[in-house]
Every structure is written in C-alpha cells, then in structure tokens.
Amino acid sequence: MTSTDAMGVFQEAIAALKAQDFVRLAGLCDPVSLRSFQRSVLSQLDPHVSHATLTVEQLMQAVPDMPKEVAEYQTAQYRRDDDPARRLERLLPGFESVEAARSLDAGQLFSAWIEARSPRRIVEREVAAGRAAPEMLAVAAEFGDKMYDFLALGAVEDGARMAYVLYRIGADRSQPQASDDGASLAELPEEEYELARETEGVAPPQVARCIRQPDGTWRLYADYDFLSLGSFAIQVGTGREESPDYPPERAS
C-alpha cells in the first residue's frame, strides 16, 4: 500500500531504487501516467512511423553559416538514429525486439525502462561491449549509491490531486567539498568562506510530481523525467592502459 502523503511515497520510491526493486518502484507510480508512458514508448518504437523529419534545407535555414556538406552529414546521422532497431536500443537497451516490449503491461515496461538505466545494467552493457573491464561489475553498486543519493526537502500540494516533492541529489553534506582546501577559498573573508563551504558542490533542488489516487494515497508521476534517471551518465573506465583496442568511452 502506498503512502497517504507525498513525502512518504517519495521515500518508498527511493528505498525501492536502492534495493533495485524496479517492479516495486513501478507499483508506486500513478497507473494513468504509466499507461501514458507505455503508449509514448510504443509509438516511438513503431517501425512504420518515421520521426526523422529534419531536412538539409531546414537545418541550413536554422544555422545559416553551416556548410551544406555538414548539414547533409547531420541529417544523415539523424535519419540513421531513426532506424527502428536504434530506437529500440536507445529506449529499451537489452530488448531483442519491439514485440518483446509490446508483450509487457504498462508497469512492466516502465520497470524495464528504469532498470535499463540502472548502474548495474549500464556497467554490464559496457563490459559486454568491451568498453569496460569485467572488474567494474563488482563496483557497480557504488555507482548506485551515488545515483540514488536523494534527500527529500519538503512537499507542497497543488490542488486536490497534485503535489510536488522538492528533493536534492547528494544527501550527505558532512563530507568536505573538493575545493575546501583550495587557496582561493582560504583567502576569502570568514563569512564568505563559510557560505562557500555550505554551497560549493551542492546540487540545486529538483521536483518530483505526485498524484493523489481515488483511495486517498499518493503515487509518483511516471514520465521520461522520472527522478532525472533518464539523464544520468556513468563514467566507466576499462581498467586497462589506453590502446587502440580499448579507447576510453563514456557510458550513455
């Protein structure tokens, strides 16, 4: 049963994330928003629909000083990325077919989408592609600790059915910031120094939307911006000296 307040369901969601219980996480989301998310994803995966509408002329009109050859290259890349297989890999990495995605219900699809962006799955893909050393799998959990380090700051209701939870990434402020020992900070007046220590490296707050259910409980709103998880990136090293076979890569 989900919480009777927005802060509570947010805390439940973070606990599910840290436990890598993505099915439980989907269950904490508003079912209508889950169905909307499912419909959006499946429409993007429709092999009969092309989303690559950008033309060379449109690009050159938007960027007048762009050489035509560059515009042609950019639009070609844009069309290549519109390939159904690449769309599937981008939205649901690890899925073998669109049919596999269509076989899932709304909650299962959202759960799979979140899990595909988890540190463990990202590192597994990088190792499988040869862009990271297998030893990185053992430390994937440490990435999760950083990615899911959320602190709820408060909640405000907006009407009868909606609420917003204000939260910050990076809950632990007890650790000294990287610039604490820098000469530039040490030269500041005392009050400015203390203020800099309080604010340096602290991420600005973000907002999670919640929807009240007919039974009075709250659930999180499922979308592509869900807890900013779709925009996280992990730097995964190879653990090997740089060589033509193992160039440095970045996980996406």
Side-chain angles (χ1 to χ4, degrees):
M1 179 178 179
T2 53
S3 179
T4 55
D5 64 270
M7 285 282 283
V9 74
F10 181 86
Q11 300 287 14
E12 289 183 62
I14 302 311
L17 267 177
K18 290 183 176 180
Q20 299 190 64
D21 189 347
F22 304 106
V23 173
R24 169 63 177 158
L25 182 64
L28 295 169
C29 291
D30 171 67
V32 178
S33 67
L34 285 172
R35 291 194 292 271
S36 176
F37 181 87
Q38 178 191 39
R39 182 167 49 80
S40 174
V41 169
L42 294 181
S43 69
Q44 292 186 66
L45 295 179
D46 189 338
H48 304 295
V49 177
S50 174
H51 301 275
T53 58
L54 183 67
T55 66
V56 172
E57 292 73 20
Q58 290 172 330
L59 188 55
M60 294 183 66
Q61 184 176 6
V63 188
D65 59 345
M66 176 178 288
K68 184 177 181 180
E69 293 78 8
V70 175
E72 290 173 341
Y73 174 80
Q74 294 286 359
T75 51
Q77 292 292 104
Y78 187 56
R79 286 192 295 271
R80 187 195 67 172
D81 289 340
D82 189 52
D83 178 79
R86 293 182 69 87
R87 278 187 260 158
L88 178 65
E89 175 61 23
R90 185 168 60 250
L91 282 168
L92 293 169
F95 272 61
E96 295 183 358
S97 68
V98 174
E99 288 68 28
R102 292 188 182 279
S103 70
L104 304 178
D105 64 31
Q108 291 170 330
L109 183 68
F110 188 70
S111 173
W113 184 83
I114 292 291
E115 184 174 5
R117 285 148 182 80
S118 69
R120 179 167 58 89
R121 293 303 187 198
I122 291 174
V123 173
E124 285 176 354
R125 291 195 297 272
E126 293 298 293
V127 171
R131 294 191 293 261
E135 294 79 17
M136 295 299 298
L137 291 170
V139 297
E142 297 179 15
F143 292 121
D145 290 341
K146 296 181 185 297
M147 280 181 66
Y148 307 145
D149 185 25
F150 298 151
L151 175 67
L153 303 174
V156 59
E157 293 188 17
D158 182 13
R161 294 195 59 222
M162 194 174 300
Y164 298 95
V165 174
L166 188 70
Y167 69 97
R168 176 165 55 78
I169 300 173
D172 187 3
R173 281 179 129 176
S174 65
Q175 299 300 317
Q177 302 300 326
S179 59
D180 279 353
D181 298 325
S184 59
L185 267 183
E187 295 172 357
L188 292 174
E190 182 177 355
E191 290 182 344
E192 293 182 31
Y193 173 78
E194 292 301 325
L195 179 61
R197 284 198 53 151
E198 280 290 310
T199 59
E200 184 74 19
V202 176
Q206 301 189 53
V207 173
R209 184 186 304 177
C210 302
I211 305 295
R212 194 195 300 271
Q213 304 302 296
D215 64 359
T217 61
W218 289 90
R219 296 194 187 183
L220 291 164
Y221 183 85
D223 64 2
Y224 293 104
D225 294 325
F226 185 80
L227 299 179
S228 299
L229 297 180
S231 61
F232 275 115
I234 296 177
Q235 297 285 345
V236 181
T238 63
R240 303 175 173 87
E241 293 184 5
E242 185 176 338
S243 72
D245 293 329
Y246 293 98
E249 297 279 352
R250 181 176 70 83
S252 58

